[in-house]
Short mmCIF file of all heavy atoms in Angstrom, two decimals:
data_model
loop_
_atom_site.label_atom_id
_atom_site.label_comp_id
_atom_site.label_asym_id
_atom_site.label_seq_id
_atom_site.Cartn_x
_atom_site.Cartn_y
_atom_site.Cartn_z
N ARG A 1379 49.98 -0.90 54.39
CA ARG A 1379 49.64 -0.06 53.26
C ARG A 1379 50.89 0.54 52.67
O ARG A 1379 51.72 1.05 53.41
CB ARG A 1379 48.75 1.07 53.73
CG ARG A 1379 47.42 1.10 53.01
CD ARG A 1379 46.57 2.17 53.53
NE ARG A 1379 46.31 3.12 52.52
CZ ARG A 1379 45.66 4.23 52.71
NH1 ARG A 1379 45.27 4.56 53.89
NH2 ARG A 1379 45.42 5.02 51.72
N PRO A 1380 51.08 0.44 51.40
CA PRO A 1380 52.30 1.03 50.82
C PRO A 1380 52.28 2.54 50.99
O PRO A 1380 51.23 3.17 50.93
CB PRO A 1380 52.23 0.61 49.33
CG PRO A 1380 50.78 0.35 49.08
CD PRO A 1380 50.21 -0.17 50.36
N PRO A 1381 53.44 3.12 51.20
CA PRO A 1381 53.47 4.58 51.38
C PRO A 1381 53.06 5.28 50.10
O PRO A 1381 53.31 4.81 48.99
CB PRO A 1381 54.95 4.85 51.70
CG PRO A 1381 55.69 3.68 51.13
CD PRO A 1381 54.76 2.51 51.23
N ALA A 1382 52.42 6.41 50.33
CA ALA A 1382 51.97 7.19 49.18
C ALA A 1382 53.18 7.71 48.43
O ALA A 1382 54.15 8.19 49.01
CB ALA A 1382 51.09 8.35 49.66
N ARG A 1383 53.17 7.65 47.13
CA ARG A 1383 54.27 8.13 46.32
C ARG A 1383 54.18 9.63 46.16
O ARG A 1383 53.11 10.19 46.01
CB ARG A 1383 54.23 7.45 44.96
CG ARG A 1383 54.33 5.93 45.05
CD ARG A 1383 54.48 5.32 43.69
NE ARG A 1383 55.69 5.76 43.06
CZ ARG A 1383 56.06 5.41 41.84
NH1 ARG A 1383 55.29 4.61 41.12
NH2 ARG A 1383 57.18 5.85 41.32
N ALA A 1384 55.33 10.24 46.20
CA ALA A 1384 55.36 11.71 46.05
C ALA A 1384 55.00 12.06 44.63
O ALA A 1384 55.21 11.29 43.69
CB ALA A 1384 56.76 12.23 46.38
N PRO A 1385 54.39 13.20 44.46
CA PRO A 1385 54.09 13.64 43.09
C PRO A 1385 55.37 13.71 42.27
O PRO A 1385 56.48 13.79 42.79
CB PRO A 1385 53.47 15.04 43.29
CG PRO A 1385 53.02 15.04 44.72
CD PRO A 1385 53.93 14.12 45.46
N ALA A 1386 55.23 13.72 40.98
CA ALA A 1386 56.40 13.70 40.09
C ALA A 1386 57.35 14.86 40.32
O ALA A 1386 58.56 14.68 40.38
CB ALA A 1386 55.90 13.66 38.63
N PRO A 1387 56.84 16.12 40.44
CA PRO A 1387 57.80 17.21 40.67
C PRO A 1387 58.61 17.01 41.93
O PRO A 1387 59.80 17.30 41.97
CB PRO A 1387 56.89 18.45 40.76
CG PRO A 1387 55.66 18.06 40.03
CD PRO A 1387 55.46 16.60 40.31
N THR A 1388 57.97 16.53 43.00
CA THR A 1388 58.70 16.34 44.26
C THR A 1388 59.76 15.27 44.11
O THR A 1388 60.87 15.39 44.61
CB THR A 1388 57.72 15.96 45.37
OG1 THR A 1388 56.69 16.94 45.44
CG2 THR A 1388 58.43 15.85 46.71
N ARG A 1389 59.40 14.15 43.40
CA ARG A 1389 60.39 13.09 43.20
C ARG A 1389 61.57 13.60 42.39
O ARG A 1389 62.72 13.28 42.65
CB ARG A 1389 59.72 11.90 42.50
CG ARG A 1389 58.72 11.16 43.37
CD ARG A 1389 58.47 9.78 42.80
NE ARG A 1389 58.00 9.82 41.42
CZ ARG A 1389 56.73 9.94 41.06
NH1 ARG A 1389 55.79 10.06 41.98
NH2 ARG A 1389 56.39 9.95 39.79
N ARG A 1390 61.29 14.42 41.36
CA ARG A 1390 62.40 14.95 40.56
C ARG A 1390 63.29 15.86 41.38
O ARG A 1390 64.51 15.88 41.25
CB ARG A 1390 61.83 15.69 39.33
CG ARG A 1390 61.28 14.76 38.27
CD ARG A 1390 61.11 15.51 36.96
NE ARG A 1390 60.10 16.56 37.09
CZ ARG A 1390 58.83 16.40 36.82
NH1 ARG A 1390 58.39 15.22 36.43
NH2 ARG A 1390 58.00 17.41 36.95
N LEU A 1391 62.70 16.69 42.27
CA LEU A 1391 63.48 17.59 43.11
C LEU A 1391 64.37 16.79 44.07
O LEU A 1391 65.54 17.11 44.29
CB LEU A 1391 62.54 18.50 43.90
CG LEU A 1391 63.23 19.52 44.83
CD1 LEU A 1391 64.14 20.43 44.04
CD2 LEU A 1391 62.17 20.34 45.57
N ALA A 1392 63.79 15.71 44.66
CA ALA A 1392 64.59 14.88 45.57
C ALA A 1392 65.74 14.23 44.83
O ALA A 1392 66.86 14.14 45.34
CB ALA A 1392 63.70 13.81 46.22
N ALA A 1393 65.47 13.74 43.60
CA ALA A 1393 66.55 13.12 42.83
C ALA A 1393 67.63 14.14 42.49
O ALA A 1393 68.81 13.85 42.52
CB ALA A 1393 65.98 12.49 41.56
N ALA A 1394 67.20 15.36 42.17
CA ALA A 1394 68.18 16.40 41.85
C ALA A 1394 69.04 16.72 43.05
O ALA A 1394 70.25 16.95 42.94
CB ALA A 1394 67.45 17.66 41.35
N ARG A 1395 68.40 16.72 44.23
CA ARG A 1395 69.18 17.00 45.44
C ARG A 1395 70.19 15.88 45.70
O ARG A 1395 71.28 16.12 46.18
CB ARG A 1395 68.25 17.15 46.63
CG ARG A 1395 67.48 18.46 46.61
CD ARG A 1395 66.52 18.53 47.77
NE ARG A 1395 65.79 19.80 47.77
CZ ARG A 1395 64.80 20.07 48.60
NH1 ARG A 1395 64.42 19.16 49.50
NH2 ARG A 1395 64.20 21.24 48.54
N ARG A 1396 69.78 14.61 45.41
CA ARG A 1396 70.70 13.50 45.63
C ARG A 1396 71.86 13.58 44.66
O ARG A 1396 72.99 13.28 44.99
CB ARG A 1396 69.96 12.17 45.47
CG ARG A 1396 69.09 11.79 46.64
CD ARG A 1396 68.74 10.31 46.59
NE ARG A 1396 68.24 9.91 45.27
CZ ARG A 1396 66.96 9.93 44.93
NH1 ARG A 1396 66.05 10.36 45.79
NH2 ARG A 1396 66.59 9.54 43.73
N ASP A 1397 71.57 13.97 43.41
CA ASP A 1397 72.62 13.99 42.39
C ASP A 1397 73.51 15.21 42.49
O ASP A 1397 74.61 15.23 41.93
CB ASP A 1397 71.99 13.94 40.99
CG ASP A 1397 71.23 12.62 40.79
OD1 ASP A 1397 71.56 11.66 41.51
OD2 ASP A 1397 70.33 12.59 39.94
N ALA A 1398 73.01 16.28 43.14
CA ALA A 1398 73.81 17.52 43.21
C ALA A 1398 75.06 17.27 44.03
O ALA A 1398 75.04 16.56 45.02
CB ALA A 1398 72.98 18.63 43.84
N PRO A 1399 76.20 17.84 43.61
CA PRO A 1399 77.44 17.66 44.40
C PRO A 1399 77.33 18.32 45.76
O PRO A 1399 76.73 19.38 45.90
CB PRO A 1399 78.53 18.34 43.53
CG PRO A 1399 77.76 19.32 42.68
CD PRO A 1399 76.42 18.69 42.43
N SER A 1400 77.89 17.67 46.75
CA SER A 1400 77.85 18.23 48.11
C SER A 1400 78.71 19.47 48.19
O SER A 1400 79.73 19.58 47.51
CB SER A 1400 78.36 17.19 49.11
OG SER A 1400 79.67 16.80 48.78
N PRO A 1401 78.29 20.47 48.98
CA PRO A 1401 79.07 21.71 49.08
C PRO A 1401 80.44 21.41 49.66
O PRO A 1401 80.61 20.51 50.47
CB PRO A 1401 78.23 22.57 50.04
CG PRO A 1401 77.40 21.59 50.80
CD PRO A 1401 77.13 20.45 49.87
N PRO A 1402 81.46 22.18 49.21
CA PRO A 1402 82.82 21.94 49.73
C PRO A 1402 82.89 22.25 51.21
O PRO A 1402 82.17 23.11 51.71
CB PRO A 1402 83.67 22.93 48.91
CG PRO A 1402 82.70 23.99 48.48
CD PRO A 1402 81.39 23.30 48.30
N PRO A 1403 83.73 21.53 51.93
CA PRO A 1403 83.86 21.81 53.36
C PRO A 1403 84.46 23.18 53.60
O PRO A 1403 85.16 23.73 52.74
CB PRO A 1403 84.83 20.70 53.85
CG PRO A 1403 85.60 20.32 52.61
CD PRO A 1403 84.64 20.48 51.47
N PRO A 1404 84.17 23.79 54.75
CA PRO A 1404 84.72 25.11 55.02
C PRO A 1404 86.23 25.06 55.04
O PRO A 1404 86.84 24.10 55.48
CB PRO A 1404 84.15 25.45 56.42
CG PRO A 1404 83.79 24.13 57.01
CD PRO A 1404 83.39 23.25 55.86
N SER A 1405 86.83 26.15 54.51
CA SER A 1405 88.29 26.21 54.48
C SER A 1405 88.86 26.31 55.88
O SER A 1405 88.27 26.92 56.76
CB SER A 1405 88.74 27.43 53.66
OG SER A 1405 88.24 28.60 54.25
N ARG A 1406 89.99 25.69 56.07
CA ARG A 1406 90.64 25.73 57.36
C ARG A 1406 92.00 26.40 57.21
O ARG A 1406 92.56 26.45 56.12
CB ARG A 1406 90.80 24.31 57.91
CG ARG A 1406 91.52 23.36 56.98
CD ARG A 1406 91.76 22.03 57.69
NE ARG A 1406 92.36 21.06 56.79
CZ ARG A 1406 91.72 20.06 56.23
NH1 ARG A 1406 90.44 19.91 56.46
NH2 ARG A 1406 92.34 19.20 55.45
N PRO A 1407 92.55 26.91 58.29
CA PRO A 1407 93.84 27.56 58.20
C PRO A 1407 94.92 26.57 57.78
O PRO A 1407 94.80 25.37 57.98
CB PRO A 1407 94.08 28.09 59.63
CG PRO A 1407 93.19 27.25 60.49
CD PRO A 1407 92.01 26.93 59.64
N ALA A 1408 95.96 27.11 57.18
CA ALA A 1408 97.05 26.26 56.71
C ALA A 1408 97.65 25.50 57.86
O ALA A 1408 97.94 26.07 58.90
CB ALA A 1408 98.11 27.12 56.03
N PRO A 1409 97.86 24.19 57.74
CA PRO A 1409 98.45 23.41 58.82
C PRO A 1409 99.90 23.75 58.99
O PRO A 1409 100.53 24.40 58.16
CB PRO A 1409 98.26 21.97 58.34
CG PRO A 1409 98.18 22.06 56.86
CD PRO A 1409 97.52 23.36 56.56
N ALA A 1410 100.47 23.27 60.11
CA ALA A 1410 101.85 23.61 60.43
C ALA A 1410 102.81 23.12 59.37
O ALA A 1410 103.79 23.80 59.06
CB ALA A 1410 102.21 23.02 61.80
N ASP A 1411 102.57 21.94 58.78
CA ASP A 1411 103.47 21.42 57.78
C ASP A 1411 103.22 22.01 56.40
O ASP A 1411 103.98 21.78 55.48
CB ASP A 1411 103.33 19.89 57.70
CG ASP A 1411 104.01 19.22 58.89
OD1 ASP A 1411 104.74 19.93 59.60
OD2 ASP A 1411 103.80 18.02 59.09
#
Side-chain angles (χ1 to χ4, degrees):
R1379 238 178 117 185
R1383 300 188 62 182
T1388 306
R1389 290 199 303 273
R1390 286 196 295 268
L1391 181 59
R1395 287 177 179 173
R1396 284 197 311 270
D1397 297 337
S1400 58
S1405 60
R1406 55 174 176 256
D1411 285 348

